[in-house]
Amino acid sequence: MFQVAMLYSGSKGNACLVKTDKTKLVVDIGFSGKRFLQSLSDLSLDCTKLDAVVVSHEHTDHISAVGIVARKLNLPVYLTKKTYECCKGKLGKLPQGVRHFASGKKFEIGDLEIDPFASSHDAIDPCNFVFTKKEDLAERKLALATDNGYISKILLHKLKDCTTVILESNHDKDILLTSGNYPWELVQRINSRVGHLSNEEAAGVLSQVVNAKLKRVILAHLSAENNLPELAQATAENVLKIFGNGADVVLARQEKSTELLDI
């Protein structure tokens, strides 16, 4: 068994659950601890069986309840040294302490091998991840790639042979630039090289990493103000059809968790 569920996704908070028969971890907890525990309950998962929290970067929509949950469930927290120094005050005391990883260096939690790589975002040391279940004869790989301002070579390299890709599809450029309600400074940030990928840019990523092994795309970090879910889904599905790939396209929402999906 090798599964993933987006517990929450968007500008108001993010969390991603990755699980195997032996290991259960969550990447980021950017909303309330109560909501996080309810999300696990909704999926019929025992919160006491979690093994770790992995942090991608220090923004509030990714870490707001990391310390709370780590204390309640007595969990270790994995993050880079720079990220920890930046947000240790927000995390508070951690009962199992901090375990550092570095971008570009693989590490393991249980039977999961985790490959962190740099993302292009306005954080101190932001990371995306590729997860592989050790000794998996099916060679399944899960990529978690959100909070990217542009399509980097490392992003394309890491996603090119994954079976499931969680990919940011944050905004529609026309809505963001012409009809959204954000102040211009925020619009510029989102549209910058350290901001977020648009629907069109997400499709551009897919066009360059699509392969016969790709079975599922989960579109994440959709803006509630500057995107339409049906537009994001149609843009991704269209590019996959062009390349003859029938991968499922799933939307990660802020309202509720996705179901547990096989990788």
Side-chain angles (χ1 to χ4, degrees):
M1 179 178 65
F2 190 9
Q3 295 179 306
V4 64
M6 293 301 296
L7 303 181
Y8 204 69
S9 182
S11 57
K12 295 180 181 178
N14 298 273
C16 175
L17 176 78
V18 183
K19 69 186 291 287
T20 69
D21 300 295
K22 299 178 180 179
T23 308
K24 297 180 183 68
L25 62 83
V26 63
V27 181
D28 298 334
I29 309 174
F31 49 99
S32 73
K34 181 179 179 180
R35 174 71 183 270
F36 172 73
L37 296 176
Q38 184 60 53
S39 296
L40 295 183
S41 178
D42 291 344
L43 294 172
S44 300
L45 295 175
D46 183 354
C47 65
T48 65
K49 301 298 183 182
L50 275 180
D51 295 293
V53 181
V54 178
V55 173
S56 66
H57 64 287
E58 74 276 8
H59 288 171
T60 301
D61 60 324
H62 291 261
I63 68 160
S64 62
V66 168
I68 294 168
V69 173
R71 285 186 287 276
K72 184 173 182 63
L73 302 181
N74 197 34
L75 298 175
V77 176
Y78 291 73
L79 71 177
T80 71
K81 289 182 180 180
K82 288 182 178 179
T83 298
Y84 177 65
E85 289 301 318
C86 184
C87 67
K88 60 184 178 182
K90 293 180 180 179
L91 296 178
K93 185 176 180 180
L94 301 172
Q96 289 294 318
V98 175
R99 303 182 189 182
H100 293 305
F101 62 82
S103 181
K105 294 185 178 180
K106 296 178 181 179
F107 64 101
E108 296 179 358
I109 300 177
D111 64 344
L112 283 171
E113 180 182 80
I114 305 167
D115 182 7
F117 62 97
S119 65
S120 51
H121 197 51
D122 56 353
I124 191 69
D125 191 18
C127 292
N128 288 167
F129 305 95
V130 173
F131 297 89
T132 307
K133 182 181 177 184
K134 292 188 296 183
E135 301 178 0
D136 185 358
L137 298 179
E139 297 183 341
R140 293 169 295 178
K141 287 186 177 182
L142 166 69
L144 174 56
T146 66
D147 298 84
N148 285 279
Y150 72 99
I151 304 172
S152 66
K153 290 182 179 179
I154 187 67
L155 176 66
L156 297 177
H157 174 70
K158 293 297 183 180
L159 270 57
K160 67 180 181 180
D161 61 349
C162 290
T163 49
T164 295
V165 171
I166 301 169
L167 181 63
E168 175 175 62
S169 190
N170 178 259
H171 59 278
D172 174 77
K173 280 189 180 292
D174 287 340
I175 297 176
L176 177 69
L177 296 173
T178 65
S179 59
N181 295 316
Y182 280 6
W184 182 240
E185 292 79 7
L186 182 54
V187 170
Q188 288 179 305
R189 174 198 172 251
I190 293 170
N191 199 39
S192 75
R193 288 173 64 84
V194 290
H196 294 280
L197 294 181
S198 68
N199 296 336
E200 296 80 4
E201 288 165 332
V205 172
L206 293 176
S207 73
Q208 296 179 76
V209 303
V210 64
N211 64 90
K213 294 170 62 177
L214 181 63
K215 303 300 181 186
R216 178 173 288 112
V217 176
I218 302 172
L219 300 179
H221 220 304
L222 273 68
S223 170
E225 293 80 13
N226 297 300
N227 209 347
L228 297 172
E230 58 271 21
L231 184 57
Q233 185 163 9
T235 305
E237 289 177 340
N238 287 341
V239 75
L240 291 173
K241 288 178 182 177
I242 290 171
F243 285 87
N245 182 282
D248 291 335
V249 177
V250 177
L251 293 173
R253 307 275 192 141
Q254 292 189 141
E255 296 85 6
K256 64 178 181 178
S257 304
T258 65
E259 60 183 306
L260 278 164
L261 302 168
D262 292 330
I263 293 166

